[in-house]
Amino acid sequence: MRIFRVGVTNRLANKAIITELEREKSNTSFDEEINLNYNLNELDLSPLIACFNKFNKTVDNEKLKNLKLIKSYQNQIYPTNALLILLEKFDNCKVKCSKFKGTTMDEFIDRKEYDKDIFSIFENLLNFVLNHINLSSKIENIVREDKYEIPLVALRKALINALIHRDYTNLGRDIKVGIYDDMVNIVSPGGYPSFITQDDVDNGRSEARNRVVANIFKELGLIEQWGSGIKRIKHSCKKAGLKEPVITKKNDFVDVEIYRLETKNIIKIDDLRTITNDYNLLEDEKNIIKFVINNGKITRKEVSKILTIKETKAYELLYSLTQKGYLERKGKGRGTYYTYLKISF
């Protein structure tokens, strides 16, 4: 067994690592390599074409060649591993998602597995996570602004990183995404590239393991420049008042933990839909409810100011909401205010 040095540590080099080191020596990546097991004419390129069209870009054989998605060998055109990854032709391109009850893996609430092209996988994966985290709603001047408890930019970048940085030569494992009450956990097979240390990652440094796949995401504007993702994930979470995400290497996979916001003053997605779809509620009443949830309480004077109506009309709306069971009146006289009653957190 050979030993090689990364930073201040020594690592054992097994066969897979030796192959990776040889690729680094020749300045190539696994996804750049030609794959002679597939004929280009047998592949359905429509998902790739559709994705390019979505971003007002065209793709033909010349473009595929320039992007290193196809290569010539003995007068024949073959796909590279990158094209096969994008089209999900490898068994290990799947992504498994789970929503757990509580903070352990003891009980499932929801499970999904996605195995189409990488663009569909990313879209479905993001939607799965968004459907299982909380959505806050803030009302200013009767305009509602909805925000997920975890910044969308952090989720997008973390999920894209898992897709473009995972080790696709590791055939025995899939990307797994687990949603718990306290965090979103993303597990990506392969660990760090051999030349990356934990200190590098902690300082925001990353390198594209699959350079062709990463370049496709960059071509489509789904990522900016390489190496900026980790910093943006951490910065956006910190700005949102969340604990700093933890990114670590555990055995032969990378583990990403993005912490969730406490549920206080957060409108859960199901609750928001209940409010939005309640045909017994006027639009002004819906806005009052969402204001109360985000601010804890509301007064008649505040309703009058927010909705630009007279205080008598504000009182009528508040009285209606107490009769419908959404609000509870508290206090007396000028100290009267209203709190949310329908949904407890």
Side-chain angles (χ1 to χ4, degrees), residues 89-284:
K89 291 300 179 181
F90 294 145
D91 289 340
N92 61 334
C93 289
K94 298 180 179 66
V95 176
K96 296 177 181 177
C97 307
S98 302
K99 171 65 175 76
F100 298 100
K101 182 177 181 180
T103 59
T104 69
M105 299 174 65
D106 294 341
E107 185 176 345
F108 287 98
I109 293 177
D110 190 13
R111 283 188 287 186
K112 292 287 189 302
E113 183 173 309
Y114 302 113
D115 59 359
K116 292 184 178 180
D117 61 276
I118 199 170
F119 309 109
S120 297
I121 288 175
F122 170 62
E123 183 175 352
N124 288 327
L125 181 55
L126 181 61
N127 287 334
F128 181 91
V129 176
L130 295 181
N131 283 335
H132 287 294
I133 64 173
N134 296 322
L135 182 69
S136 67
S137 181
K138 184 178 181 181
I139 300 173
E140 292 184 359
N141 298 324
I142 75 170
V143 177
R144 190 186 78 203
E145 179 185 3
D146 296 332
K147 285 186 178 181
Y148 289 99
E149 58 176 311
I150 298 175
L152 191 56
V153 63
L155 287 173
R156 286 175 58 88
K157 289 188 175 299
L159 295 173
I160 287 176
N161 278 353
L163 292 170
I164 67 176
H165 291 311
R166 72 144 293 173
D167 183 2
Y168 286 98
T169 67
N170 187 327
L171 301 178
R173 309 185 66 179
D174 302 305
I175 294 172
K176 293 181 176 64
V177 177
I179 303 172
Y180 303 84
D181 285 357
D182 58 342
M183 74 168 83
V184 173
N185 181 223
I186 304 169
V187 176
S188 181
Y192 302 144
S194 60
F195 49 86
I196 293 291
T197 67
Q198 185 63 52
D199 285 342
D200 292 330
V201 174
D202 292 340
N203 291 323
R205 179 191 172 192
S206 65
E207 297 286 342
R209 183 193 298 276
N210 302 292
R211 292 182 293 194
V212 178
V213 174
N215 190 52
I216 297 300
F217 275 75
K218 186 173 183 294
E219 173 80 11
L220 296 174
L222 295 171
I223 60 174
E224 296 81 29
Q225 62 185 13
W226 296 349
S228 64
I230 293 177
K231 288 183 178 179
R232 292 201 65 185
I233 291 170
K234 292 185 175 183
H235 175 73
S236 62
C237 288
K238 183 178 179 180
K239 187 176 180 181
L242 304 176
K243 289 171 56 179
E244 181 176 294
V246 174
I247 303 172
T248 55
K249 176 182 178 295
K250 298 181 179 180
N251 298 319
D252 65 338
F253 60 87
V254 174
D255 184 273
V256 179
E257 296 179 354
I258 302 180
Y259 298 102
R260 300 179 61 182
L261 192 66
E262 293 183 4
T263 57
K264 182 180 179 180
N265 292 338
I266 296 295
I267 302 178
K268 296 182 179 180
I269 287 180
D270 289 342
D271 296 344
L272 180 62
R273 287 173 180 160
T274 298
I275 296 168
T276 303
N277 296 327
D278 190 339
Y279 297 107
N280 294 317
L281 291 174
L282 301 173
E283 194 63 32
D284 283 346

Side-chain angles (χ1 to χ4, degrees), residues 4-15:
F4 69 104
R5 192 167 184 82
V6 177
V8 296
T9 64
N10 292 324
R11 297 183 184 177
L12 293 177
N14 56 28
K15 184 177 179 180

Side-chain angles (χ1 to χ4, degrees), residues 18-29:
I18 291 172
T19 302
E20 183 180 347
L21 291 171
E22 290 173 348
R23 290 194 184 102
E24 292 170 10
K25 186 176 180 180
S26 60
N27 195 30
T28 61
S29 57

Side-chain angles (χ1 to χ4, degrees), residues 7 28 46 56 68 74 83 108 152 168 186 206 241 255 274-275 286 300-301 322 325 338 343:
T28 61
S46 59
N56 297 317
K68 297 183 179 181
Q74 295 184 350
L83 181 56
F108 287 98
L152 191 56
Y168 286 98
I186 304 169
S206 65
D255 184 273
T274 298
I275 296 168
K286 294 176 183 178
R300 181 168 62 179
K301 187 174 183 179
T322 59
Y338 297 80
I343 304 170

